[in-house]
Amino acid sequence: MRKLFTLILALTLALVFAALPSARAEFDTASLEALPGMAVYLDDNGIDTVVRPMDQPFEGTADEAGGSACAFVDYIELADEDIVFLRLTISVESQEQLAAGRLALHVGKQDWVFTVQPVISEYDMVYQEDYAVCLTDESLPMLKEIARSKTDAYAFSLSGGERSLSGEVRLRGAAVAALYDCYVQLGGPQQNLAFYRDVWPVRIEK
């Protein structure tokens, strides 16, 4: 009888916690920050923590004279939100400011289109612009597809600002797969990623 009561109680608690919006698996941030080959530092806001592989950036090219591009895939711990995201950043340099609001990355037969807000700096008439997106439950499948892809080359475009720019980044499948698989193992998808769909929206275009 005691075993039966214990089983019923355990099942009841499981159902209760599953029904609570705030209940989620804890992400193992300590193991994340202890991963070998990672640089761990505070983001520009001095609050959030970035965990980035030291062998990045991923190389890329920009389709204009004097321009360049590269990409990063890393983890970011948002302290105020108590959540960890996988993050994709396209970084470009050019002689004229873009200030784009739309990033499209062509993966497989689809364009994954993100609304973005750039971080822009200028030195000696060269503009460096970073376009970062945190990946929610709607956009993580894009990274999974990259991780399992047989190609490393992905076309991108930036538009919706002062002007447009296109190019290509080479996201190495094995490196992306290692980051994605680690995120899954540490509990990333069990976080409430769906809550942030409106913060980092994505649209899929064929």
Side-chain angles (χ1 to χ4, degrees), residues 7 19 22-23 31 33 36 47 54 57 64 69 74 86 89 96 108 115 117 148 161 178 181 191-192 200 202:
L7 178 60
S22 60
S31 294
E33 294 182 9
I47 300 173
M54 290 187 286
E64 71 174 30
D74 54 22
L86 265 169
T89 303
E96 295 181 46
T115 300
Q117 294 182 344
R148 310 298 184 240
D181 291 344
Q191 302 174 107
N192 190 12
W200 289 285
V202 63

PDB file of all heavy atoms in Angstrom, residues 7 19 22-23 31 33 36 47 54 57 64 69 74 86 89 96 108 115 117 148 161 178 181 191-192 200 202:
ATOM      1  N   LEU A   7       3.895   5.875  -5.422  1.00  0.00           N
ATOM      2  CA  LEU A   7       3.826   5.963  -6.876  1.00  0.00           C
ATOM      3  C   LEU A   7       2.782   6.991  -7.306  1.00  0.00           C
ATOM      4  O   LEU A   7       3.019   7.813  -8.192  1.00  0.00           O
ATOM      5  CB  LEU A   7       3.495   4.596  -7.468  1.00  0.00           C
ATOM      6  CG  LEU A   7       3.331   4.536  -8.995  1.00  0.00           C
ATOM      7  CD1 LEU A   7       4.619   4.989  -9.679  1.00  0.00           C
ATOM      8  CD2 LEU A   7       2.943   3.129  -9.441  1.00  0.00           C
ATOM      9  N   ALA A  19       2.533  21.118 -15.426  1.00  0.00           N
ATOM     10  CA  ALA A  19       1.503  22.103 -15.748  1.00  0.00           C
ATOM     11  C   ALA A  19       1.912  23.521 -15.406  1.00  0.00           C
ATOM     12  O   ALA A  19       1.313  24.475 -15.886  1.00  0.00           O
ATOM     13  CB  ALA A  19       0.207  21.755 -15.003  1.00  0.00           C
ATOM     14  N   SER A  22       6.345  28.028 -15.102  1.00  0.00           N
ATOM     15  CA  SER A  22       7.698  28.360 -14.665  1.00  0.00           C
ATOM     16  C   SER A  22       8.561  27.146 -14.411  1.00  0.00           C
ATOM     17  O   SER A  22       9.762  27.275 -14.208  1.00  0.00           O
ATOM     18  CB  SER A  22       7.625  29.194 -13.376  1.00  0.00           C
ATOM     19  OG  SER A  22       6.972  28.460 -12.357  1.00  0.00           O
ATOM     20  N   ALA A  23       7.958  25.961 -14.378  1.00  0.00           N
ATOM     21  CA  ALA A  23       8.729  24.758 -14.082  1.00  0.00           C
ATOM     22  C   ALA A  23       9.493  24.332 -15.321  1.00  0.00           C
ATOM     23  O   ALA A  23       8.926  24.139 -16.380  1.00  0.00           O
ATOM     24  CB  ALA A  23       7.785  23.640 -13.634  1.00  0.00           C
ATOM     25  N   SER A  31      28.802  23.281 -15.969  1.00  0.00           N
ATOM     26  CA  SER A  31      29.467  22.399 -16.931  1.00  0.00           C
ATOM     27  C   SER A  31      29.753  23.127 -18.235  1.00  0.00           C
ATOM     28  O   SER A  31      30.774  22.887 -18.879  1.00  0.00           O
ATOM     29  CB  SER A  31      28.589  21.168 -17.194  1.00  0.00           C
ATOM     30  OG  SER A  31      28.474  20.374 -16.036  1.00  0.00           O
ATOM     31  N   GLU A  33      30.468  26.372 -18.639  1.00  0.00           N
ATOM     32  CA  GLU A  33      31.611  27.268 -18.479  1.00  0.00           C
ATOM     33  C   GLU A  33      32.923  26.505 -18.270  1.00  0.00           C
ATOM     34  O   GLU A  33      33.999  27.080 -18.444  1.00  0.00           O
ATOM     35  CB  GLU A  33      31.358  28.219 -17.315  1.00  0.00           C
ATOM     36  CG  GLU A  33      30.201  29.181 -17.576  1.00  0.00           C
ATOM     37  CD  GLU A  33      29.980  30.158 -16.433  1.00  0.00           C
ATOM     38  OE1 GLU A  33      30.831  30.203 -15.519  1.00  0.00           O
ATOM     39  OE2 GLU A  33      28.969  30.884 -16.458  1.00  0.00           O
ATOM     40  N   PRO A  36      36.313  22.610 -22.211  1.00  0.00           N
ATOM     41  CA  PRO A  36      37.641  22.966 -22.708  1.00  0.00           C
ATOM     42  C   PRO A  36      37.564  23.739 -24.020  1.00  0.00           C
ATOM     43  O   PRO A  36      36.622  23.578 -24.799  1.00  0.00           O
ATOM     44  CB  PRO A  36      38.312  21.604 -22.907  1.00  0.00           C
ATOM     45  CG  PRO A  36      37.174  20.650 -23.125  1.00  0.00           C
ATOM     46  CD  PRO A  36      36.049  21.155 -22.263  1.00  0.00           C
ATOM     47  N   ILE A  47      26.764  42.331 -17.922  1.00  0.00           N
ATOM     48  CA  ILE A  47      25.862  41.518 -17.092  1.00  0.00           C
ATOM     49  C   ILE A  47      25.804  40.072 -17.577  1.00  0.00           C
ATOM     50  O   ILE A  47      25.964  39.130 -16.801  1.00  0.00           O
ATOM     51  CB  ILE A  47      24.450  42.120 -17.087  1.00  0.00           C
ATOM     52  CG1 ILE A  47      24.471  43.545 -16.524  1.00  0.00           C
ATOM     53  CG2 ILE A  47      23.481  41.235 -16.290  1.00  0.00           C
ATOM     54  CD1 ILE A  47      23.141  44.256 -16.634  1.00  0.00           C
ATOM     55  N   MET A  54      37.235  29.158 -28.743  1.00  0.00           N
ATOM     56  CA  MET A  54      38.389  29.993 -29.057  1.00  0.00           C
ATOM     57  C   MET A  54      38.882  29.817 -30.484  1.00  0.00           C
ATOM     58  O   MET A  54      39.737  30.585 -30.943  1.00  0.00           O
ATOM     59  CB  MET A  54      39.510  29.718 -28.055  1.00  0.00           C
ATOM     60  CG  MET A  54      39.202  30.239 -26.664  1.00  0.00           C
ATOM     61  SD  MET A  54      40.573  30.101 -25.490  1.00  0.00           S
ATOM     62  CE  MET A  54      40.548  28.343 -25.153  1.00  0.00           C
ATOM     63  N   PRO A  57      36.406  33.145 -35.181  1.00  0.00           N
ATOM     64  CA  PRO A  57      35.172  33.064 -35.967  1.00  0.00           C
ATOM     65  C   PRO A  57      35.247  32.067 -37.122  1.00  0.00           C
ATOM     66  O   PRO A  57      36.319  31.621 -37.513  1.00  0.00           O
ATOM     67  CB  PRO A  57      35.024  34.492 -36.511  1.00  0.00           C
ATOM     68  CG  PRO A  57      36.435  34.959 -36.680  1.00  0.00           C
ATOM     69  CD  PRO A  57      37.173  34.369 -35.507  1.00  0.00           C
ATOM     70  N   GLU A  64      31.138  42.604 -51.895  1.00  0.00           N
ATOM     71  CA  GLU A  64      31.402  43.973 -52.296  1.00  0.00           C
ATOM     72  C   GLU A  64      32.875  44.275 -52.059  1.00  0.00           C
ATOM     73  O   GLU A  64      33.515  43.700 -51.168  1.00  0.00           O
ATOM     74  CB  GLU A  64      30.523  44.969 -51.535  1.00  0.00           C
ATOM     75  CG  GLU A  64      30.857  45.143 -50.081  1.00  0.00           C
ATOM     76  CD  GLU A  64      30.034  46.264 -49.439  1.00  0.00           C
ATOM     77  OE1 GLU A  64      28.901  46.502 -49.885  1.00  0.00           O
ATOM     78  OE2 GLU A  64      30.545  46.911 -48.505  1.00  0.00           O
ATOM     79  N   ALA A  69      33.307  39.492 -44.043  1.00  0.00           N
ATOM     80  CA  ALA A  69      32.267  38.920 -43.198  1.00  0.00           C
ATOM     81  C   ALA A  69      32.808  37.695 -42.475  1.00  0.00           C
ATOM     82  O   ALA A  69      33.730  37.026 -42.953  1.00  0.00           O
ATOM     83  CB  ALA A  69      31.042  38.537 -44.030  1.00  0.00           C
ATOM     84  N   ASP A  74      27.842  30.767 -30.515  1.00  0.00           N
ATOM     85  CA  ASP A  74      28.294  30.643 -29.132  1.00  0.00           C
ATOM     86  C   ASP A  74      27.100  30.522 -28.199  1.00  0.00           C
ATOM     87  O   ASP A  74      25.946  30.419 -28.637  1.00  0.00           O
ATOM     88  CB  ASP A  74      29.187  31.833 -28.743  1.00  0.00           C
ATOM     89  CG  ASP A  74      28.533  33.186 -28.981  1.00  0.00           C
ATOM     90  OD1 ASP A  74      27.279  33.238 -29.049  1.00  0.00           O
ATOM     91  OD2 ASP A  74      29.241  34.200 -29.113  1.00  0.00           O
ATOM     92  N   LEU A  86      21.720  29.365 -27.401  1.00  0.00           N
ATOM     93  CA  LEU A  86      22.696  29.316 -28.475  1.00  0.00           C
ATOM     94  C   LEU A  86      22.465  30.557 -29.322  1.00  0.00           C
ATOM     95  O   LEU A  86      21.316  30.933 -29.588  1.00  0.00           O
ATOM     96  CB  LEU A  86      22.510  28.051 -29.327  1.00  0.00           C
ATOM     97  CG  LEU A  86      23.374  26.845 -28.950  1.00  0.00           C
ATOM     98  CD1 LEU A  86      22.890  25.598 -29.680  1.00  0.00           C
ATOM     99  CD2 LEU A  86      24.847  27.103 -29.255  1.00  0.00           C
ATOM    100  N   THR A  89      25.836  34.919 -34.701  1.00  0.00           N
ATOM    101  CA  THR A  89      26.183  36.301 -35.021  1.00  0.00           C
ATOM    102  C   THR A  89      26.845  36.351 -36.387  1.00  0.00           C
ATOM    103  O   THR A  89      27.790  35.606 -36.658  1.00  0.00           O
ATOM    104  CB  THR A  89      27.150  36.891 -33.978  1.00  0.00           C
ATOM    105  OG1 THR A  89      26.572  36.806 -32.688  1.00  0.00           O
ATOM    106  CG2 THR A  89      27.464  38.360 -34.293  1.00  0.00           C
ATOM    107  N   GLU A  96      30.795  51.609 -45.826  1.00  0.00           N
ATOM    108  CA  GLU A  96      29.572  52.379 -45.659  1.00  0.00           C
ATOM    109  C   GLU A  96      28.668  51.660 -44.664  1.00  0.00           C
ATOM    110  O   GLU A  96      28.606  50.434 -44.643  1.00  0.00           O
ATOM    111  CB  GLU A  96      28.832  52.539 -46.987  1.00  0.00           C
ATOM    112  CG  GLU A  96      29.588  53.349 -48.028  1.00  0.00           C
ATOM    113  CD  GLU A  96      28.781  53.498 -49.303  1.00  0.00           C
ATOM    114  OE1 GLU A  96      27.572  53.822 -49.203  1.00  0.00           O
ATOM    115  OE2 GLU A  96      29.339  53.278 -50.385  1.00  0.00           O
ATOM    116  N   GLY A 108      19.799  24.841 -46.582  1.00  0.00           N
ATOM    117  CA  GLY A 108      19.032  23.870 -47.349  1.00  0.00           C
ATOM    118  C   GLY A 108      18.323  24.541 -48.504  1.00  0.00           C
ATOM    119  O   GLY A 108      18.945  25.219 -49.326  1.00  0.00           O
ATOM    120  N   THR A 115      14.553  39.234 -37.704  1.00  0.00           N
ATOM    121  CA  THR A 115      14.562  40.665 -37.417  1.00  0.00           C
ATOM    122  C   THR A 115      15.744  40.940 -36.499  1.00  0.00           C
ATOM    123  O   THR A 115      15.902  40.275 -35.467  1.00  0.00           O
ATOM    124  CB  THR A 115      13.255  41.093 -36.743  1.00  0.00           C
ATOM    125  OG1 THR A 115      12.163  40.798 -37.614  1.00  0.00           O
ATOM    126  CG2 THR A 115      13.271  42.580 -36.425  1.00  0.00           C
ATOM    127  N   GLN A 117      18.820  43.807 -34.740  1.00  0.00           N
ATOM    128  CA  GLN A 117      19.240  45.149 -34.336  1.00  0.00           C
ATOM    129  C   GLN A 117      20.757  45.127 -34.224  1.00  0.00           C
ATOM    130  O   GLN A 117      21.300  44.460 -33.338  1.00  0.00           O
ATOM    131  CB  GLN A 117      18.603  45.553 -33.013  1.00  0.00           C
ATOM    132  CG  GLN A 117      17.099  45.714 -33.076  1.00  0.00           C
ATOM    133  CD  GLN A 117      16.511  46.175 -31.754  1.00  0.00           C
ATOM    134  OE1 GLN A 117      17.145  46.108 -30.712  1.00  0.00           O
ATOM    135  NE2 GLN A 117      15.290  46.678 -31.805  1.00  0.00           N
ATOM    136  N   ARG A 148      23.989  18.962 -39.317  1.00  0.00           N
ATOM    137  CA  ARG A 148      23.902  17.671 -40.014  1.00  0.00           C
ATOM    138  C   ARG A 148      24.133  17.794 -41.516  1.00  0.00           C
ATOM    139  O   ARG A 148      24.082  16.801 -42.232  1.00  0.00           O
ATOM    140  CB  ARG A 148      22.531  17.044 -39.759  1.00  0.00           C
ATOM    141  CG  ARG A 148      22.112  16.980 -38.292  1.00  0.00           C
ATOM    142  CD  ARG A 148      23.039  16.125 -37.457  1.00  0.00           C
ATOM    143  NE  ARG A 148      22.553  16.016 -36.072  1.00  0.00           N
ATOM    144  CZ  ARG A 148      23.240  16.424 -35.016  1.00  0.00           C
ATOM    145  NH1 ARG A 148      24.436  16.977 -35.163  1.00  0.00           N
ATOM    146  NH2 ARG A 148      22.744  16.282 -33.801  1.00  0.00           N
ATOM    147  N   GLY A 161      17.805  48.399 -44.176  1.00  0.00           N
ATOM    148  CA  GLY A 161      18.457  49.511 -43.505  1.00  0.00           C
ATOM    149  C   GLY A 161      18.846  50.583 -44.493  1.00  0.00           C
ATOM    150  O   GLY A 161      18.095  50.884 -45.435  1.00  0.00           O
ATOM    151  N   ALA A 178      28.898  19.923 -32.532  1.00  0.00           N
ATOM    152  CA  ALA A 178      29.411  19.789 -31.167  1.00  0.00           C
ATOM    153  C   ALA A 178      28.740  20.791 -30.233  1.00  0.00           C
ATOM    154  O   ALA A 178      28.367  20.452 -29.100  1.00  0.00           O
ATOM    155  CB  ALA A 178      30.924  19.975 -31.159  1.00  0.00           C
ATOM    156  N   ASP A 181      24.902  19.679 -29.887  1.00  0.00           N
ATOM    157  CA  ASP A 181      24.724  18.469 -29.074  1.00  0.00           C
ATOM    158  C   ASP A 181      24.997  18.748 -27.603  1.00  0.00           C
ATOM    159  O   ASP A 181      24.297  18.234 -26.714  1.00  0.00           O
ATOM    160  CB  ASP A 181      25.644  17.358 -29.576  1.00  0.00           C
ATOM    161  CG  ASP A 181      25.224  16.827 -30.947  1.00  0.00           C
ATOM    162  OD1 ASP A 181      24.085  17.092 -31.362  1.00  0.00           O
ATOM    163  OD2 ASP A 181      26.054  16.157 -31.598  1.00  0.00           O
ATOM    164  N   GLN A 191      14.467  24.443 -21.524  1.00  0.00           N
ATOM    165  CA  GLN A 191      14.149  25.772 -21.026  1.00  0.00           C
ATOM    166  C   GLN A 191      12.921  26.310 -21.775  1.00  0.00           C
ATOM    167  O   GLN A 191      12.555  25.804 -22.828  1.00  0.00           O
ATOM    168  CB  GLN A 191      15.339  26.715 -21.224  1.00  0.00           C
ATOM    169  CG  GLN A 191      16.622  26.250 -20.547  1.00  0.00           C
ATOM    170  CD  GLN A 191      17.777  27.159 -20.906  1.00  0.00           C
ATOM    171  OE1 GLN A 191      18.239  27.935 -20.095  1.00  0.00           O
ATOM    172  NE2 GLN A 191      18.245  27.055 -22.136  1.00  0.00           N
ATOM    173  N   ASN A 192      12.340  27.365 -21.260  1.00  0.00           N
ATOM    174  CA  ASN A 192      11.140  27.927 -21.881  1.00  0.00           C
ATOM    175  C   ASN A 192      11.513  28.834 -23.052  1.00  0.00           C
ATOM    176  O   ASN A 192      11.302  30.047 -23.021  1.00  0.00           O
ATOM    177  CB  ASN A 192      10.322  28.697 -20.846  1.00  0.00           C
ATOM    178  CG  ASN A 192       8.956  29.100 -21.382  1.00  0.00           C
ATOM    179  OD1 ASN A 192       8.522  28.620 -22.432  1.00  0.00           O
ATOM    180  ND2 ASN A 192       8.291  29.983 -20.670  1.00  0.00           N
ATOM    181  N   TRP A 200      13.063  37.322 -30.469  1.00  0.00           N
ATOM    182  CA  TRP A 200      13.944  36.992 -31.600  1.00  0.00           C
ATOM    183  C   TRP A 200      13.142  36.225 -32.638  1.00  0.00           C
ATOM    184  O   TRP A 200      13.302  35.010 -32.796  1.00  0.00           O
ATOM    185  CB  TRP A 200      15.150  36.178 -31.124  1.00  0.00           C
ATOM    186  CG  TRP A 200      16.114  36.995 -30.328  1.00  0.00           C
ATOM    187  CD1 TRP A 200      17.001  37.927 -30.803  1.00  0.00           C
ATOM    188  CD2 TRP A 200      16.283  36.996 -28.907  1.00  0.00           C
ATOM    189  NE1 TRP A 200      17.695  38.492 -29.767  1.00  0.00           N
ATOM    190  CE2 TRP A 200      17.293  37.941 -28.581  1.00  0.00           C
ATOM    191  CE3 TRP A 200      15.695  36.274 -27.860  1.00  0.00           C
ATOM    192  CZ2 TRP A 200      17.692  38.187 -27.281  1.00  0.00           C
ATOM    193  CZ3 TRP A 200      16.091  36.513 -26.565  1.00  0.00           C
ATOM    194  CH2 TRP A 200      17.091  37.466 -26.291  1.00  0.00           C
ATOM    195  N   VAL A 202      11.617  34.662 -36.105  1.00  0.00           N
ATOM    196  CA  VAL A 202      12.167  34.098 -37.336  1.00  0.00           C
ATOM    197  C   VAL A 202      11.013  33.751 -38.257  1.00  0.00           C
ATOM    198  O   VAL A 202       9.922  33.382 -37.809  1.00  0.00           O
ATOM    199  CB  VAL A 202      13.033  32.845 -37.033  1.00  0.00           C
ATOM    200  CG1 VAL A 202      12.198  31.736 -36.414  1.00  0.00           C
ATOM    201  CG2 VAL A 202      13.744  32.362 -38.290  1.00  0.00           C
TER     202      VAL A 202
END
